[in-house]
Structure formats: C-alpha cells, structure tokens
Amino acid sequence: MDLPIRPRRNRKSAGVRALTRETLLSAGDFVLPLFLHDLEVDEPIESMPGCTRWSLDGLVKEAGEALALGIPAVVLFPAIEDSLKTKKAEECFNAEGLVPRAIRALKAAHPDLQVMTDVALDPYNIDGHDGLVEEGEILNDETVEVLCKQAVCQAEAGADIIAPSDMMDGRVAALREALDAAGYEKVSICSYTAKYASAYYGPFRGALGSAPKAGDKKTYQLDPANRREALRELMLDEEEGADMVMVKPAGAYLDIIRDVRDNTTLPVAAYQVSGEYLMIKSASADGWVNEEAVMMESLIAIKRAGADFVLTYFAKNAAKVLRR
Ligand code: PBG
C-alpha cells in the first residue's frame, strides 16, 4: 500500500507509546474510601470483597498504608449502631461521635493525610435517607440546618475537606457560611454536584446498613437519563462556593464527567462506586476478566473523561501497580 500516514508508527514500541500517552494515572489521583465502626475488631464486608469495616486502630493503620503508597486522602463512611439512630439524626453532630473521634485519631497519626468526610444523614437517621423525613417526604431546608451542624462538627475535629453527598438544594452555600462563621474558612468543600439516583450504590448500602427504609432517593439524586441537569447543579455549586465538584457514579457517567470538565475551571472528582468495584471484582473472581488490567483501564477511562481525581476502593491496589 502507498500509505504515507500510518498511525501505527506512534504505537510501535513501549517507548513511543509512553511518549505519546495522553493520560497518566498516579497514586496522587486517588482518594481511598474507608468504612469504620465503633468496635474493636476489623470486619470484612460481605457485600464488598476486599473491603473492611475498620476499628479506629485498624483505620489509622490502613490510612497510614495508603499515605505511604502516595495516596493523599481518605474519605470516611461510618456504620452507626442502630441504637444511636434517631428520626432527627442528632448523632451526626455529636463531637464525641465515631467520625469526629476517627478524624482526630487520623490527623494525630498522619498530619499530612487529607481527611475528607461525608456530609449526609443516611447513616444516622432511622429512615436511611440522606435528609430528614416527614410523612414520606425528604425535607430540604430543615435537613440543610442539620448538615451544617454535622459539617462544623467534622471541621472542629480536624476534617480537611467536607464532601456533601446529600443532594439537598442550597447546601453548599449554607455549609460555606456555617464553616466560615465558625472560623473554618480553610476547610474545603468538595460537592457531590452530580450524584445520580443509581443502582450501583447497592453494595455500599449493604456495607453500612444504610439503605432507605421506605421509598427511594429519586426526589433528591439526579435522574440517570439527564445531562443538562448536571450542568445546572454545576452552575449552582460554583456560585455557592464549592472548591471541587464531583460526578458519581463514574464508569457509567463518563459523558457527564466530560461535560462537567468542559464547563468549569474547578477541579473535578469522580467516584467509582461500590457497584462498579463489585462488578470488576466478581467478573474477575473466576478469571473471566483480568482484575488488575480491568481495574487500571477503568481508572484511566475516568481520568481520560476529565476527572482530576478519583474516589475508588481500588486506590491501594492501583497505587501498588503504579509503583512497579
Ligand atoms: C450516601 C452515600 C452513598 C454513597 C456515598 N454516600 C449511597 C447513597 O447515596 O445511597 C455510595 C458510595 C458507593 O456506592 O460506593 N450519602
């Protein structure tokens, strides 16, 4: 063939492929989500093989290992005892509660580790919803007031980044104001800007026993069919003062990550959620796909779509692969 242009020349060797590679992954791109409970034992999570509900000691050790691998941040998800759950979720702003104690322990042991905390009520209220529930309705403004107390309590304990995952309207502005009023103007807000009402959260709710008791989350989380709505949320979160914006889930929402990337100068995060993790884990368990290869491909795809950093249960495994 008389072919002067041969794209394969740029793929001819590992060296040329390295030179021409457009997207790079590094351990610095990852946030490791960690589950914790108020028990002395570390307990494997049945619905998420390879993940653990940590005791405080186990949590500190695990976070230390992540940090040593170059992972700059963790995000905390507590399993709260049923006896502490109430209609109004008051435990979420108990200064001696599980999350504040965990933040203090983590920051004492690893001052450089960035501790990100989840702001939402589902682990704390008896309804299992991210907001307060009254007669089947998820209350917006009343919920935001509680979220502000939760965030200030986390900031007081030493959280570096507050990540509201609740999807209530107006919460970013309210959180910014509450944090600033309490003297925490250095605490960042990473908003779950486009969090979809997704079936991919199933294993996570199993891990925390936080599934909604009744109904679903469709009146607050976004409809998976929608793109423009994500941009509307983005505009609001920017105006309200978010420092970072997130898309969640990641793998089935790469177009949304790209849309958000193209419409903001803010850092964009993406959350590779429990169902995405489990799908890769179970497809590779009996050898149908290569776990390591699919893990790395899924992460590079999320970054290529436009994410600056990724919340992923694979963070430590992927960081180990990148070290080789
Ligand atoms: C709830 C919350 C959820 C996740 C993170 N925060 C579940 C939900 O919205 O029901 C899901 C994370 C995952 O599936 O890995 N505030």
Side-chain angles (χ1 to χ4, degrees):
M1 278 198 288
D2 179 18
L3 264 186
I5 296 173
R6 291 179 181 268
R8 285 185 57 191
R9 276 194 289 269
N10 283 347
R11 307 195 282 264
K12 69 184 174 187
S13 63
V16 168
R17 289 195 296 275
L19 291 173
T20 58
R21 187 158 299 132
E22 299 176 36
T23 310
L24 294 177
L25 265 183
S26 79
D29 299 328
F30 302 139
V31 177
L32 175 64
L34 291 171
F35 299 101
L36 61 154
H37 61 187
D38 212 348
L39 296 172
E40 302 287 312
V41 290
D42 302 322
E43 201 171 62
I45 297 174
E46 214 176 311
S47 63
M48 297 177 66
C51 293
T52 305
R53 258 183 311 267
W54 298 102
S55 63
L56 282 191
D57 289 346
L59 183 81
V60 168
K61 192 162 163 278
E62 179 71 358
E65 284 178 20
L67 191 61
L69 284 164
I71 296 164
V74 298
V75 56
L76 303 182
F77 294 106
I80 300 296
E81 290 163 42
D82 280 342
S83 65
L84 296 174
K85 298 186 184 186
T86 56
K87 193 79 192 150
K88 294 197 165 159
E90 286 97 342
E91 178 62 15
C92 79
F93 53 84
N94 174 4
E96 292 309 315
L98 180 58
V99 166
R101 276 183 284 135
I103 299 167
R104 288 194 290 266
L106 286 169
K107 293 302 289 187
H110 315 296
D112 293 337
L113 178 75
Q114 299 303 291
V115 176
M116 186 185 272
T117 48
D118 194 60
V119 168
L121 304 185
D122 50 317
Y124 301 96
N125 74 21
I126 46 179
D127 298 293
H129 274 286
D130 294 24
L132 300 173
V133 183
E134 203 176 274
E135 287 167 19
E137 196 173 323
I138 317 301
L139 305 177
N140 193 87
D141 303 12
E142 293 82 347
T143 296
V144 171
E145 277 180 43
V146 184
L147 298 175
C148 287
K149 291 189 193 172
Q150 181 181 24
V152 169
C153 171
Q154 294 170 347
E156 217 160 68
D160 300 286
I161 305 170
I162 301 285
S165 71
D166 57 285
M167 293 308 285
M168 296 300 119
D169 291 335
R171 92 277 208 213
V172 171
L175 289 171
R176 188 69 272 159
E177 198 182 313
L179 289 169
D180 290 353
Y184 300 111
E185 58 284 318
K186 278 198 196 153
V187 172
S188 316
I189 297 179
C190 176
S191 177
Y192 285 67
T193 293
K195 177 175 179 181
Y196 284 86
S198 171
Y200 286 87
Y201 308 146
F204 174 97
R205 294 177 188 171
L208 293 185
S210 63
K213 294 284 177 305
D216 52 43
K217 300 193 173 185
K218 291 180 185 169
T219 68
Y220 47 107
Q221 300 178 345
L222 303 197
D223 184 333
N226 293 353
R227 279 178 72 181
R228 294 190 305 265
E229 204 177 356
L231 295 181
R232 189 172 189 219
E233 291 284 359
L234 171 65
M235 276 166 49
L236 288 167
D237 279 357
E238 277 205 329
E239 277 170 24
E240 292 182 30
D243 299 288
M244 307 164 180
V245 292
M246 195 194 300
V247 175
K248 174 186 180 183
Y253 295 82
L254 296 178
D255 56 331
I256 308 298
I257 296 174
R258 173 49 54 189
D259 284 346
V260 169
R261 169 71 292 150
D262 287 344
N263 284 281
T264 185
T265 58
L266 292 176
V268 176
Y271 197 147
Q272 184 180 49
V273 301
S274 56
E276 299 176 67
Y277 171 80
L278 192 66
M279 279 169 32
I280 294 174
K281 277 284 183 191
S282 44
S284 55
D286 40 16
W288 291 111
V289 299
N290 177 314
E291 175 173 341
E292 183 179 303
V294 174
M295 165 182 80
M296 297 311 281
E297 188 174 331
S298 69
L299 293 168
I300 204 82
I302 293 166
K303 229 188 142 188
R304 187 198 64 229
D308 296 293
F309 64 100
V310 187
L311 289 73
T312 172
Y313 303 98
F314 285 122
K316 280 180 68 190
N317 295 352
K320 285 179 194 161
V321 172
L322 291 167
R323 280 226 155 163
R324 291 209 288 262

